[in-house]
Amino acid sequence: SRSSSRRTACWKNGFFLESADKSFILRITGQIQADYREYLNSRDRTDIDTFLLRRARFGLEGTVFKYYEFRFLPDFGQGQVLVQDAYLNIHYMDAFQFETGRFKQPFSYEQLIQDRYVPTLERSIIDQLVPERDLGAMLHGEEIFNNHLDYGVALSNGEINGNTVDTNNHKDFNGRVAVRPFNDDDASQWIRGIQVGVSGGFGIEQEAISPATLRMPDTVPFLNFNSTVRADGLRWRLCPEFVYFNGPFGFLAEYYHEEQEMRPSATGPGYKFLTNVPFNGYVLLASLLLTGETRTTYSEPISPLKPFDPHCPLQKPGAWELVGRVSRLDVGDVFNPGAAQLVNPAKNSNEAMEFTVGFNWYFNRWVRMQFNYEHDMFGQPVLLGSTAANLLNSQDSLFTRFQVIF
């Protein structure tokens, strides 16, 4: 590193440039996630065993004139280029910050975990329905009242799952509040790590239904809306959360409820039928660091007490972590007969549940390997191919990831 009265350039959990008064800071950040996916039921002709560059990101974060923060993060993974984050945050005080651009909406603790730190390879079955990243503006605050409260309220386009172009004039409102009531130095360690929160949002949607296909965390599709189905009316969401950390143990629980008004088609006989479709689901996730490390949130790196050294792997094994998860999603009235039908009942299921067990190996703060086994179950047979032999009640998968972050 090199220091002077004018500027500093050095490495501290990443490379950064910094002025002497810290009014100007530039950080370089990125991640590479190289995956292998294997599906164990050979009757599945839809999902293919494959190597995959899941994420390949190279971004810039910075502060200018002390109070103005920005982040620009494109992703080059999966054979496409997509700008994940591109926003400006005005940060004069922690309690009242203003953010505009493309950013994660204030909704769902699980979704707000940074992609590089998620304990499983993929998020749960309910995550595909939450707002994720969107273009808009947000008022938010973090670590308020001595790190007892976070909140965010956002106005956005209402497009999810990577969509960057607004297709209607309506906007969505999303908000979240999270409270850590016992986060005090004199509180018992057993209760200090409790956090409770709730997210909610609503908006009018008049566009093709999105997502049009619902998938398991391992990407196996279980429900495909008919190609003409249209969102045409109010969509609202509610997502209470409970999070707990105590030393090496972590736990996350979320419940998800959504209602969306839909029509089978924008024209013809199907237009006469307006159905309010409910979505109900949950996720339970637990993790345990086996090698003595601790955490207070899932959005933080794990620094092994003894970083891995191949010359003495028993004395310096890195950090080991066990993970378990169950998540479920039920979708309401989509198998209506005739012109009112939203989903073909002969090929799809409106109920799905998954169990995942995983092992994470942290070589050091920047390098991680992950191993996940997932068991998927469907409420009725799902067609994963073109013939009756491809109707499956379940699927199993093995996912592996090698990750480097900086």
Side-chain angles (χ1 to χ4, degrees):
S1 66
R2 181 172 66 87
S3 300
S4 72
S5 61
R6 295 181 297 171
R7 59 187 180 273
T8 300
C10 67
W11 176 276
K12 183 180 180 182
N13 301 324
F15 180 79
F16 70 94
L17 299 170
E18 183 180 88
S19 65
D21 61 0
K22 298 185 179 181
S23 293
F24 297 86
I25 303 172
L26 180 66
R27 303 181 189 87
I28 297 175
T29 183
Q31 66 189 105
I32 297 173
Q33 294 177 343
D35 292 10
Y36 178 69
R37 299 175 174 179
E38 183 171 349
Y39 299 93
L40 304 183
N41 193 329
S42 60
R43 292 166 53 203
D44 180 352
R45 300 299 185 182
T46 298
D47 302 287
I48 300 173
D49 301 344
T50 185
F51 288 97
L52 175 71
L53 188 61
R54 179 64 175 89
R55 294 182 177 94
R57 298 176 177 177
F58 185 84
L60 298 174
E61 301 175 346
T63 301
V64 295
F65 296 104
K66 192 176 181 178
Y67 302 111
Y68 302 90
E69 303 164 345
F70 69 87
R71 178 179 172 89
F72 178 67
L73 183 66
D75 189 351
F76 303 92
Q78 303 188 67
Q80 60 182 352
V81 179
L82 177 65
V83 176
Q84 293 290 337
D85 294 323
Y87 61 78
L88 169 69
N89 186 53
I90 301 175
H91 188 175
Y92 280 89
M93 59 184 70
D94 292 341
F96 297 100
Q97 303 176 48
F98 178 76
E99 192 167 311
T100 184
R102 178 175 168 83
F103 53 86
K104 283 194 173 184
Q105 296 298 294
F107 197 103
S108 170
Y109 181 94
E110 184 190 25
Q111 173 55 216
L112 292 173
I113 301 171
Q114 293 187 38
D115 297 327
R116 58 178 58 195
Y117 302 137
V118 177
T120 52
L121 268 78
E122 301 296 338
R123 294 181 177 88
S124 71
I125 192 172
I126 65 174
D127 182 70
Q128 62 195 306
L129 296 171
V130 308
E132 300 184 7
R133 290 175 167 92
D134 199 2
L135 286 159
M138 174 171 66
L139 180 67
H140 65 112
E142 285 83 36
E143 301 182 357
I144 306 169
F145 304 130
N146 197 25
N147 199 17
H148 283 72
L149 174 70
D150 302 333
Y151 78 93
V153 181
L155 174 68
S156 65
N157 285 338
E159 306 299 322
I160 67 173
N161 295 318
N163 294 328
T164 58
V165 178
D166 199 1
T167 58
N168 63 79
N169 290 324
H170 305 290
K171 299 295 176 278
D172 274 21
F173 291 89
N174 293 298
R176 175 178 176 265
V177 61
V179 180
R180 293 171 289 277
F182 309 110
N183 189 26
D184 300 296
D185 291 339
D186 57 353
S188 168
Q189 185 65 32
W190 290 98
I191 63 173
R192 186 174 179 181
I194 292 175
Q195 174 176 301
V196 292
V198 63
S199 308
F202 64 92
I204 302 295
E205 316 304 319
Q206 292 180 320
E207 57 192 339
I209 193 68
S210 177
T213 298
L214 298 181
R215 300 177 181 273
M216 307 303 293
D218 60 5
T219 74
V220 175
F222 66 91
L223 188 149
N224 295 275
F225 286 98
N226 295 338
S227 60
T228 58
V229 172
R230 179 177 177 82
D232 195 1
L234 179 66
R235 175 180 65 196
W236 66 273
R237 307 177 174 104
L238 184 67
C239 184
E241 67 186 48
F242 175 83
V243 185
Y244 177 70
F245 295 98
N246 185 3
F249 177 74
F251 178 75
L252 161 66
E254 284 190 343
Y255 174 78
Y256 182 83
H257 178 78
E258 174 186 325
E259 294 190 18
Q260 169 70 73
E261 294 180 317
M262 303 183 195
R263 296 186 190 273
S265 63
T267 60
Y271 182 77
K272 297 184 297 181
F273 299 95
L274 182 65
T275 303
N276 185 47
V277 179
F279 299 77
N280 291 286
Y282 63 83
V283 56
L284 303 172
L285 182 145
S287 62
L288 181 65
L289 288 158
L290 304 175
T291 43
E293 294 77 12
T294 64
R295 56 152 56 102
T296 59
T297 174
Y298 281 126
S299 279
E300 67 179 359
I302 298 298
S303 296
L305 297 175
K306 298 178 180 180
F308 176 67
D309 186 343
H311 297 98
C312 47
L314 297 180
Q315 290 77 27
K316 297 182 179 181
W320 296 351
E321 182 178 36
L322 291 178
V323 182
R325 182 186 67 199
V326 56
S327 65
R328 179 180 175 89
L329 181 63
D330 296 336
V331 185
D333 301 324
V334 292
F335 295 142
N336 299 318
Q341 185 184 94
L342 300 170
V343 175
N344 185 345
K347 301 179 180 181
N348 300 278
S349 174
N350 65 340
E351 301 176 35
M353 188 173 186
E354 60 88 18
F355 296 91
T356 296
V357 293
F359 175 76
N360 298 326
W361 181 13
Y362 301 87
F363 288 50
N364 50 51
R365 189 180 179 92
W366 303 281
V367 179
R368 174 175 73 168
M369 288 197 71
Q370 293 179 273
F371 308 88
N372 279 186
Y373 165 76
E374 181 177 322
H375 176 62
D376 301 330
M377 299 180 295
F378 313 119
Q380 63 186 55
V382 173
L383 185 64
L384 298 174
S386 57
T387 70
N390 308 126
L391 282 168
L392 301 182
N393 290 301
S394 65
Q395 175 59 295
D396 297 275
S397 64
L398 290 171
F399 277 24
T400 304
R401 171 172 296 164
F402 185 83
Q403 172 181 281
V404 178
I405 62 175
F406 55 91

